[in-house]
Amino acid sequence: MTSFYFEDIFERYANEIDDLRSDSEGRDVLKRRMRDKHKEFPFLLSMIDTAPEMVAPAFHGAFRFVSQTLVYGAAHSEPGDDDFPSWSELARTLELADWAKPLVDQCLKQDGGDSFLVTTAVLEHMLGSGLAVRSAPESSRGHDEDDDAEDLSEAGDEWMSEQGFDAVER
């Protein structure tokens, strides 16, 4: 399981990628829409704090993870936590596509850009690794709302235990 921060944002991110992938007639238009995102990137940057899931897709396909330890750890924390890595730390554990380097430079000039880049890399890793199976969009989960309630209950129980409370017998 990932942190609540990534559980929350991942579903919106995955849905955004799905929306970019095909048009209303089912044609694959991801490459064209990605080029549009890259052209709009200076405008999109204004949303890195309020809607990072709308900006992050501009980096779809930009990362190749050489080592997964740090990105996996980041997925279990959130911006502001002591164990949330900096972009410079995480960047040493991945390869960045050449086309993405100017976008990274633009992000690093923004307040919150460092955390945004780490968040984006984690979202991309989650999308490609199965790390966020619980957070996959409803259409791809293959289980019903009772399972969701059970997952939420288990997550709550785990959190309470982490806070030092005894587990509730049900």
Side-chain angles (χ1 to χ4, degrees):
M1 185 168 102
T2 59
S3 70
F4 287 117
Y5 171 75
F6 282 108
E7 290 285 323
D8 180 50
I9 196 173
F10 179 76
E11 187 170 347
R12 294 189 310 266
Y13 176 73
N15 286 334
E16 182 66 17
I17 295 294
D18 284 344
D19 287 346
L20 292 171
R21 197 170 304 281
S22 60
D23 65 12
S24 61
E25 296 174 6
R27 291 183 298 237
D28 186 350
V29 293
L30 182 62
K31 287 183 181 179
R32 179 176 54 82
R33 289 185 176 168
M34 292 302 296
R35 282 191 304 271
D36 292 345
K37 281 264 187 205
H38 298 158
K39 289 177 189 172
E40 299 168 353
F41 197 71
F43 166 74
L44 293 173
L45 275 175
S46 65
M47 297 188 296
I48 63 172
D49 289 329
T50 57
E53 72 279 1
M54 299 296 287
V55 186
F59 288 94
H60 183 59
F63 309 112
R64 188 173 100 43
F65 298 92
V66 178
S67 171
Q68 301 194 16
T69 305
L70 195 57
V71 72
Y72 184 81
H76 291 83
S77 61
E78 60 184 76
D81 286 354
D82 289 339
D83 56 347
F84 196 75
S86 67
W87 171 248
S88 61
E89 288 176 286
L90 186 60
R92 289 191 295 264
T93 69
L94 55 82
E95 292 176 3
L96 182 64
D98 288 338
W99 60 262
K101 291 176 182 175
L103 302 180
V104 167
D105 292 341
Q106 290 178 55
C107 287
L108 292 174
K109 293 176 184 171
Q110 300 290 312
D111 286 340
D114 188 270
S115 292
F116 166 76
L117 287 168
V118 174
T119 296
T120 299
V122 170
L123 291 171
E124 272 290 290
H125 182 261
M126 290 170 68
L127 190 65
S129 71
L131 186 61
V133 171
R134 264 192 46 222
S135 292
E138 287 292 330
S139 60
S140 64
R141 282 191 204 172
H143 67 273
D144 59 25
E145 290 186 25
D146 289 339
D147 291 338
D148 290 340
E150 216 170 278
D151 288 344
L152 186 57
S153 177
E154 287 176 23
D157 290 345
E158 287 176 27
W159 184 84
M160 292 296 285
S161 291
E162 289 170 5
Q163 304 309 310
F165 294 97
D166 292 331
V168 175
E169 295 297 320
R170 296 178 198 249

